[in-house]
Amino acid sequence: MRYVLRRIGFYCVAAWASLTLNFLMPRLMPGDPASTIFARYRGQLRPEQLEAMKEAFGFNDAPLIEQYFGYLSHAVRGDFGISISAFPSPVTTVIGSGLIWTLLIGITALVISFVLGSMLGIISAWKRGSKLDNIFPPLLIFLGSFPFFWLAMVALYVLGFKAGWFPLRHAYSDRLTPAFTWPFISSVISHLILPALSIILVSIGGWVLGMRNTMINVLGEDYITLASAKGLSTRRVMFHYAARNALLPNMTAFGMALGFVLGGQIIVETVFSYPGLGYLLIRAVSNLDYPLMQGIFLMITLAVLGANLIVDLLYVRLDPRVRGS
Amino acid sequence: MQPNEALLTVDDLCVEYRTPRGPVRAVDHVSFSIAHGEVFGLAGESGSGKSTIAHAIMRILHPPAVITGGHVNFSGDDVLEMDGDELARFRWRDVSMVFQSAMNALNPVMTIGEQICDVIQCHLRLSKADSMDKAAHLLDLVGIERSRLAAYPHQLSGGMRQRAVIAIALALNPPLMIMDEPTTALDVVVQKEILQQISDLKDKMGFSILFITHDMSLMVEFSDRIGIMYAGEIVETADAHDVFNNPQHPYTRGLMSSFPSLVGPKVKLTGIPGSPPDMGKPPSGCRFHPRCDQAMAICSLQRPALREVAPVHRAACHLYELTGVTPRTERGTL
Amino acid sequence: MQEHANDPAALVLSEDKAKPTSQPASAFAARFGWLIAILRNPKALIGLVIMVVFVFTAAFAPVIARHDPNKFVGRPHQAPSAKHWFGTTGQGKDVFSQTVWGARTSLMVGFGTGLLVTLLGIIMGMTAGYFGGWIDDVLSLLTNVVLIIPGTPLLAIMAAFLAPGKFTIILVLSVIGWAWPARVLRSQTLSLRTKDFVASSIVSGEGHFNIIFREILPNMTSLIVSGMFGSIIYAIGAETGLSFLGLTNISDVTWGSNLYWAQNNAGLLVGAWWTIVPSGLCVALIAFALAMINYAMDEITNPRLRAEKELSNVFKQRSTLATPVVRAAKRGVADGR
Ligand SMILES: Nc1ncnc2c1ncn2[C@@H]1O[C@H](COP(=O)(O)OP(=O)(O)OP(=O)(O)O)[C@@H](O)[C@H]1O
Ligand SMILES: [Mg+2]
């Protein structure tokens, strides 16, 4: 429990840090930030849009510290202002529409690559020295060296464009309206496959190699020798004794991997015009929709922190030593 | 099976570690046997190959270890000929083991109860509840509260962990238990307590023990018969009191003089000068000759065979091959 | 059982002679042995060769590329030919020249960021690990916060606020990227600090500066180098991604901006695969090369993995379940599974 509370405390600090970063970033721009930003729009904005923008940044004549607290209190209330590009929708509405797709694609890709990769790592460690184990690591490193989006482009071209097996863009067919029906769900799945696949392909190698290496370290431990001396079945030794212990260091790496995979996902979403937060973020950046991009950044950060918290809770379940007294 | 027939016979066992720098022969033509109900002690300096023998008997040595010769006969079956399924049945049901480092021998993410139960469930096909009952009973036997079944290893003290490991070893009531330095990491009081407990259990349940330690006083106190190892070889075997009163091999004498006798007259502790050889390239002839104060010309040329120097007392030393005389020095009578 | 005698005197002598020379050599080997081992490792060698080729290409880009990468040299979307080895882009530029020049900027950003990140990582990590106490608490908190805030969205926003350019990118990537090496180096410093040779230097009153740079740093060289390679991979990947999104100065020729233009000129949709394959493959190859070196270094410096590696020369297939019985004279292997 102590462990979880400490972690939650840490996530609060991290959330506060990213809020502050968000506040500081426009103010770090050279010159007078407000006029620099507004100058970029070159009169494209209606006055009420300008007002919304000023409001969102908390740009006013008050001293910086007051602006800061004003900003914080808005943010805590979930008020990130009005989107410029989707005027007059509030930023939160726009984010809400993208969040579900990002979660769908992110969770699918992450869970599949983690579970599949860890299994392959276990097998590779168990059968180490075999042909498979000699070819596997370099192959996976090679696969993992490609930029996510590049594989996505190739997959799009070969499997989507040339072979025509998969749709090329969006999260579901334009002819359908979202509903809990089979045609809609199958359309969502077929749109999900290519982007998820390219993320899985690039990220799976890390899990395989990480698991393989920790497994090899764990397999040298005395408790593994004792387990095999006990005459237990191979499967029991492998999974209950070795894999459960080898999984722990990899779980702690999960948080880091999350950020990395998410970074790739943002670009992959753009390649497939997949309407998740990444796609929205890049659109917001190119439209200079500052309130929206800042809101998305915060949302993504919160999602990452939340995912890390879930991993922590799982970790506590798997490792009795952190449960503590 | 006759009562006097050996339970375990190790015959000409050879084990190598195939390191990139060439093979290291850690166990070299070792033979000994253990009778029913007997405690056989293996003593020797660190690195002499004691643990390697213990692990080889159960075939649990990791690579780069390879058994390169000999036989390990357990009541009629050769362990070295067993395949995977036979081994799985042989392990723990016939021979169990208390590991040298109980601290690391327990799986940190499973409870003590689970770790006792899984071996019971696996071999005896008992239900979960029955095996839990049995596990609780085992904890009683080794003197841990039943409630500790649900404890994880990190929640136990060193002594308790050691007892838990012993409970695991007792789980299937095997005819032979290997105890590889079962108490080295513990303080003297706990050490004595645990050994006393093992001794009582042995009297009650009647298993044999292969007892390994480099603490000679414990060894002499606890074992019926002793084998002294040096650099991968057994250089002397005899009854425990013979080894104590009348050590034959110069190495054994050195060992005996490197610990204070609790009961005997005050003797000067001399120890053994020098250090054990590099097992990758052991000395020629008798491996002990570079450190032996009685070395002769032949000692560097020829390896002495293990031969009877007194009834049921064997030693491998050229001193006895040449003359057959009784040894020069003798420890004061008890 | 007879063995040939060695002259015991000679034996003693050779042992005596071996000792003094082996002492300093082993201290050196312990610190830098991995450098030599790397040159013998095929995985690392593959990586080194690829890397050298790229560095060479980047250095001699003006000689190697026959065209100006920004010039219109022929019809758009021409397939590879003798004239244009990698074909032309949708704007009629020479893909080969773009790829070669791209190596220059991409590697510059990669190596520049790698160096800066490593420097920052060393300073932060070693300060935290060495001084401990509240300094460690504060720096570790900072490190972990930077680690957990997702980098790519932050980069995207920063790119929107700042004026794009090579040096901005290097700076921004470094500000975000230092945390991982810092964390690794901190824990290594912590464990080295407790080692005897450091403890004795502390007791003997040597200055902090000396201890950190003379005693601790040299013992972490392999970690530092592998951390730097990791950072270079990260930087090249991030730069490529950002350029692909059009968030950097897209008139710079980098592998990422090549891909940006390929995408924007619908390179794939007209079947001009050659506009995206070379640059993507280059990014993958250089990352692969560095990752292979790192993988090899891990094999060399992690004792258990090293043992594993060495074993593979002796055993083909291994299982931990039963010790193999290999009787020398008679049959071959009687492996118990
Ligand atoms: N994995 C290995 N690779 C190479 N040599 C090894 C390996 N394991 C053990 N050895 C060598 O085998 C010899 C015997 O080791 P073993 O562990 O059996 O000694 P021991 O008598 O049990 O010592 P201790 O009293 O310290 O437990 C030692 O000389 C050791 O150097
Ligand atoms: Mg031992």
Side-chain angles (χ1 to χ4, degrees):
Chain A
M1 209 55 231
R2 277 265 309 282
Y3 173 78
V4 174
L5 284 180
R6 256 211 346 259
R7 295 301 294 171
I8 291 177
F10 166 68
Y11 295 136
C12 288
V13 173
W16 167 78
S18 47
L19 272 173
T20 307
L21 206 60
N22 233 348
F23 173 80
L24 287 178
M25 236 179 318
R27 288 168 178 80
L28 284 180
M29 288 172 72
D32 170 27
S35 46
T36 315
I37 288 176
F38 300 138
R40 287 194 183 177
Y41 290 105
R42 279 193 222 113
Q44 295 166 25
L45 295 184
R46 280 177 271 151
E48 61 265 36
Q49 283 179 311
L50 272 179
E51 266 323 297
M53 192 107 119
K54 274 192 178 153
E55 177 78 16
F57 285 117
F59 282 142
N60 45 38
D61 298 331
L64 206 61
I65 193 81
E66 226 164 275
Q67 289 182 21
Y68 179 56
F69 283 109
Y71 162 83
L72 277 188
S73 75
H74 273 125
V76 167
R77 274 183 273 135
D79 174 10
F80 296 117
I82 309 269
S83 162
I84 308 292
S85 54
F87 196 81
S89 304
V91 164
T92 39
T93 318
V94 183
I95 289 178
S97 75
L99 185 62
I100 174 153
W101 299 116
T102 284
L103 288 180
L104 179 66
I105 208 171
I107 291 174
T108 313
L110 211 64
V111 168
I112 291 180
S113 70
F114 182 73
V115 172
L116 202 67
S118 298
M119 287 300 283
L120 287 175
I122 292 172
I123 294 169
S124 173
W126 190 243
K127 296 217 176 296
R128 62 199 186 283
S130 67
K131 269 222 173 60
L132 193 78
D133 179 53
N134 279 329
I135 307 170
F136 235 40
L139 192 72
L140 287 171
I141 293 178
F142 186 61
L143 211 52
S145 304
F146 284 99
F148 285 88
F149 69 88
W150 192 80
L151 275 193
M153 284 164 84
V154 172
L156 181 83
Y157 178 64
V158 176
L159 300 177
F161 186 69
K162 280 273 173 190
W165 294 343
F166 299 100
L168 300 184
R169 58 181 68 85
H170 301 332
Y172 54 89
S173 168
D174 302 335
R175 276 169 280 137
L176 296 171
T177 44
F180 204 69
T181 57
W182 175 241
F184 180 72
I185 293 174
S186 67
S187 167
V188 166
I189 292 176
S190 69
H191 280 80
L192 180 65
I193 290 178
L194 278 189
L197 187 72
S198 37
I199 297 174
I200 292 171
L201 277 184
V202 177
S203 55
I204 197 168
W207 297 122
V208 177
L209 298 181
M211 194 65 185
R212 177 183 179 273
N213 288 359
T214 45
M215 272 295 276
I216 286 175
N217 277 324
V218 167
L219 284 174
E221 296 285 341
D222 280 347
Y223 53 80
I224 303 297
T225 313
L226 175 61
S228 48
K230 277 154 108 181
L232 302 176
S233 68
T234 308
R235 176 180 294 196
R236 184 150 182 103
V237 177
M238 272 321 268
F239 289 99
H240 280 76
Y241 284 78
R244 265 193 74 179
N245 282 288
L247 208 55
L248 297 176
N250 276 8
M251 299 249 322
T252 36
F254 202 86
M256 243 71 69
L258 210 63
F260 170 70
V261 171
L262 212 116
Q265 183 182 341
I266 286 173
I267 313 186
V268 169
E269 282 178 10
T270 319
V271 171
F272 288 94
S273 308
Y274 199 88
L277 289 182
Y279 177 65
L280 292 178
L281 175 68
I282 301 308
R283 275 244 311 258
V285 169
S286 49
N287 291 336
L288 294 178
D289 186 346
Y290 290 98
L292 183 57
M293 69 173 106
Q294 293 211 310
I296 293 177
F297 167 66
L298 274 183
M299 197 60 233
I300 291 178
T301 307
L302 288 182
V304 167
L305 297 184
N308 269 284
L309 183 62
I310 293 173
V311 172
D312 282 340
L313 293 173
L314 264 171
Y315 188 85
V316 172
R317 278 208 54 73
L318 285 179
D319 190 349
R321 283 164 295 188
V322 300
R323 259 172 250 164
S325 36
Chain B
M1 195 191 298
Q2 278 94 38
N4 60 346
E5 193 186 316
L7 175 67
L8 176 85
T9 316
V10 173
D11 191 20
D12 259 347
L13 182 68
C14 298
V15 182
E16 273 177 15
Y17 290 98
R18 300 207 161 154
T19 68
R21 274 153 266 102
V24 173
R25 183 162 274 201
V27 174
D28 200 359
H29 294 280
V30 162
S31 306
F32 63 89
S33 67
I34 303 177
H36 288 273
E38 187 182 34
V39 179
F40 183 79
L42 265 184
E45 283 170 305
S46 187
S48 55
K50 307 178 298 285
S51 301
T52 306
I53 292 182
H55 287 241
I57 290 172
M58 299 194 77
R59 297 269 305 273
I60 50 172
L61 282 170
H62 288 297
V66 177
I67 299 173
T68 51
H71 301 277
V72 175
N73 203 299
F74 186 86
S75 51
D77 302 320
D78 193 338
V79 179
L80 303 191
E81 300 290 328
M82 288 182 181
D83 65 22
D85 292 337
E86 289 170 317
L87 265 179
R89 259 174 278 128
F90 160 77
R91 285 175 179 168
W92 227 253
R93 197 185 292 199
D94 289 337
V95 180
S96 69
M97 182 158 168
V98 176
F99 277 64
Q100 183 160 2
S101 50
M103 303 297 156
N104 308 327
L106 291 168
N107 184 346
V109 300
M110 282 169 71
T111 63
I112 303 297
E114 283 171 328
Q115 295 186 56
I116 302 179
C117 279
D118 69 354
V119 68
I120 298 174
Q121 275 178 295
C122 167
H123 285 274
L124 306 183
R125 312 246 164 251
L126 289 183
S127 73
K128 180 124 196 167
D130 287 348
S131 48
M132 265 298 172
D133 266 1
K134 199 163 158 46
H137 177 66
L138 285 165
L139 287 195
D140 284 346
L141 271 185
V142 296
I144 305 181
E145 277 175 60
R146 276 167 180 245
S147 63
R148 291 312 185 101
L149 274 180
Y152 287 94
H154 74 276
Q155 295 166 327
L156 302 182
S157 69
M160 267 149 87
R161 258 180 266 182
Q162 190 65 53
R163 287 170 210 263
V165 170
I166 293 170
I168 294 176
L170 290 170
L172 303 178
N173 200 1
L176 175 65
M177 261 171 79
I178 299 173
M179 308 204 136
D180 189 355
E181 318 215 12
T183 55
T184 335
L186 307 174
D187 63 74
V188 184
V189 181
V190 183
Q191 212 173 45
K192 289 269 174 240
E193 221 174 81
I194 288 183
L195 282 178
Q196 189 54 48
Q197 216 160 31
I198 294 174
S199 188
D200 295 345
L201 285 168
K202 183 192 87 96
D203 292 342
K204 198 156 61 183
M205 303 161 87
F207 47 80
S208 311
I209 296 179
L210 172 56
F211 183 67
I212 296 174
T213 181
H214 43 220
D215 182 335
M216 286 306 291
S217 63
L218 276 184
M219 170 114 307
V220 170
E221 194 179 324
F222 196 66
S223 319
D224 300 322
R225 231 149 36 85
I226 291 178
I228 305 289
M229 286 200 73
Y230 183 76
E233 296 175 317
I234 289 195
V235 293
E236 182 164 359
T237 61
D239 286 345
H241 56 88
D242 272 350
V243 171
F244 182 73
N245 293 326
N246 196 10
Q248 300 287 305
H249 197 284
Y251 174 63
T252 315
R253 277 186 227 136
L255 269 187
M256 301 307 288
S257 65
S258 50
F259 77 94
S261 163
L262 295 177
V263 279
K266 272 214 164 117
V267 215
K268 189 166 176 283
L269 293 181
T270 47
I272 311 167
S275 51
D278 173 6
M279 302 281 278
K281 27 182 180 351
S284 62
C286 171
R287 289 182 177 174
F288 187 58
H289 84 261
R291 296 169 72 187
C292 183
D293 53 0
Q294 285 165 282
M296 302 172 289
I298 190 174
C299 293
S300 61
L301 300 173
Q302 199 175 25
R303 262 162 94 170
L306 198 60
R307 62 179 61 223
E308 202 127 288
V309 291
V312 294
H313 193 151
R314 290 143 68 87
C317 180
H318 285 300
L319 283 177
Y320 312 109
E321 271 180 19
L322 294 180
T323 57
V325 291
T326 41
R328 203 159 45 86
T329 46
E330 220 174 83
R331 205 180 169 93
T333 44
L334 202 84
Chain C
M1 201 176 303
Q2 210 141 11
E3 272 169 11
H4 287 289
N6 279 329
D7 184 359
L11 215 142
V12 170
L13 235 166
S14 69
E15 259 177 11
D16 273 358
K17 248 195 289 183
K19 270 224 170 99
T21 47
S22 75
Q23 212 64 2
S26 72
F28 179 82
R31 281 181 178 182
F32 298 108
W34 57 271
L35 263 177
I36 298 146
I38 273 202
L39 293 176
R40 295 209 204 99
N41 183 306
K43 288 196 188 87
L45 270 185
I46 293 176
L48 277 174
V49 168
I50 297 177
M51 211 170 81
V52 167
V53 169
F54 272 109
V55 170
F56 183 84
T57 310
F60 294 98
V63 185
I64 296 170
R66 293 178 303 172
H67 300 282
D68 183 332
N70 285 318
K71 266 228 180 88
F72 178 90
V73 293
R75 272 185 303 114
H77 285 320
Q78 279 185 72
S81 64
K83 189 151 176 277
H84 301 289
W85 291 348
F86 290 179
T88 58
T89 70
Q91 299 166 313
K93 294 170 183 171
D94 184 55
V95 177
F96 180 73
S97 305
Q98 285 204 321
T99 311
V100 169
W101 279 93
R104 223 177 212 208
T105 328
S106 292
L107 287 195
M108 198 181 90
V109 171
F111 283 81
T113 311
L115 278 177
L116 205 55
V117 160
T118 308
L119 208 66
L120 280 171
I122 290 176
I123 294 171
M124 303 295 264
M126 289 188 68
T127 312
Y130 182 80
F131 290 105
W134 66 267
I135 299 182
D136 184 22
D137 290 343
V138 171
L139 289 183
S140 292
L141 183 67
L142 186 65
T143 310
N144 288 330
V145 167
V146 173
L147 262 181
I148 206 167
I149 292 179
T152 310
L154 186 59
L155 279 173
I157 300 184
M158 280 180 146
F161 280 116
L162 300 170
K166 276 176 273 199
F167 296 100
T168 322
I169 286 285
I170 292 180
L171 214 68
V172 169
L173 287 179
S174 305
V175 166
I176 292 176
W178 60 269
W180 178 246
R183 179 156 144 163
V184 174
L185 294 181
R186 170 188 169 267
S187 60
Q188 183 69 7
T189 308
L190 267 178
S191 81
L192 281 177
R193 224 188 107 90
T194 57
K195 292 270 158 61
D196 289 343
F197 63 94
V198 178
S200 70
S201 306
I202 295 174
V203 170
S204 72
E206 221 174 290
H208 293 312
F209 191 83
N210 264 351
I211 296 173
I212 290 183
F213 288 98
R214 291 247 179 88
E215 311 277 355
I216 297 182
L217 199 65
N219 282 296
M220 309 201 297
T221 39
S222 69
L223 264 188
I224 292 173
V225 171
S226 83
M228 186 162 90
F229 286 174
S231 308
I232 297 175
I233 296 177
Y234 144 80
I236 292 181
E239 196 277 335
T240 309
L242 288 177
S243 301
F244 172 72
L245 293 174
L247 297 179
T248 60
N249 185 357
I250 41 179
S251 57
D252 279 346
V253 178
T254 76
W255 290 327
S257 61
N258 291 347
L259 292 170
Y260 168 83
W261 289 114
Q263 169 92 343
N264 270 27
N265 294 324
L268 273 185
L269 299 188
V270 300
W273 51 267
W274 54 88
T275 54
I276 70 155
V277 168
S279 290
L281 218 53
C282 284
V283 175
L285 274 176
I286 191 92
F288 173 70
L290 294 167
M292 285 297 264
I293 299 176
N294 268 358
Y295 187 77
M297 288 217 308
D298 203 21
E299 260 179 5
I300 288 161
T301 49
N302 176 333
R304 281 215 178 125
L305 289 184
R306 181 175 56 209
E308 239 351 274
K309 177 88 188 112
E310 288 173 342
L311 270 183
S312 61
N313 303 328
V314 184
F315 297 93
K316 281 295 158 265
Q317 169 106 43
R318 301 180 299 282
S319 108
T320 37
L321 270 194
T323 315
V325 179
V326 185
R327 298 196 191 273
K330 286 179 268 172
R331 289 164 305 160
V333 184
D335 191 333
R337 205 155 69 113

